[in-house]
Amino acid sequence: MIIFQRRRRQNRDAQRAFRARERIRVQSLEDRLEDVTKQYTKLKSAYLHLNAKYQSVLEQVEIKEEGVDGTMPLWEESSTSDFEPFSSLLCVPEALRGSQ
């Protein structure tokens, strides 16, 4: 009978220890979930802010490309002379550069 009681006490102690470890593990996971949720909220807010900023810049670029009168994009108005400062970077002999 004493062995049976000792075994019961051992089982109760083991179960109590298991529940304590389980509570600690669940609390740890809940804390981690809270941290990740906060981080997600911050990242989502930053993303929405940057996306709004990007859309604003994109609209400004589109407006500038339309030009002053709204008929022709600015990049089409420029001549090939805009590339002259970069001619030294090209691997084209100087004799051929003049004929282009």
Side-chain angles (χ1 to χ4, degrees), residues 18-90:
F18 172 77
R19 285 192 299 263
R21 286 191 308 270
E22 188 177 34
R23 276 192 300 272
I24 292 169
R25 175 76 172 140
V26 167
Q27 184 62 48
S28 171
L29 289 172
E30 287 174 349
D31 292 344
R32 185 172 174 204
L33 175 63
E34 185 178 344
D35 291 344
V36 168
T37 302
K38 285 179 184 178
Q39 185 180 13
Y40 169 77
T41 303
K42 285 180 185 178
L43 289 172
K44 184 177 179 183
S45 175
Y47 166 77
L48 291 173
H49 174 73
L50 288 173
N51 194 33
K53 202 171 184 180
Y54 168 74
Q55 292 298 326
S56 173
V57 169
L58 190 62
E59 289 172 8
Q60 290 175 3
V61 167
E62 288 173 355
I63 289 171
K64 286 181 181 180
E65 284 180 350
E66 289 176 2
V68 177
D69 59 358
T71 57
M72 186 182 301
L74 291 176
W75 57 271
E76 288 182 6
E77 293 175 9
S78 64
S79 67
T80 56
S81 64
D82 291 343
F83 296 107
E84 287 177 11
F86 301 105
S87 63
S88 62
L89 299 175
L90 298 174

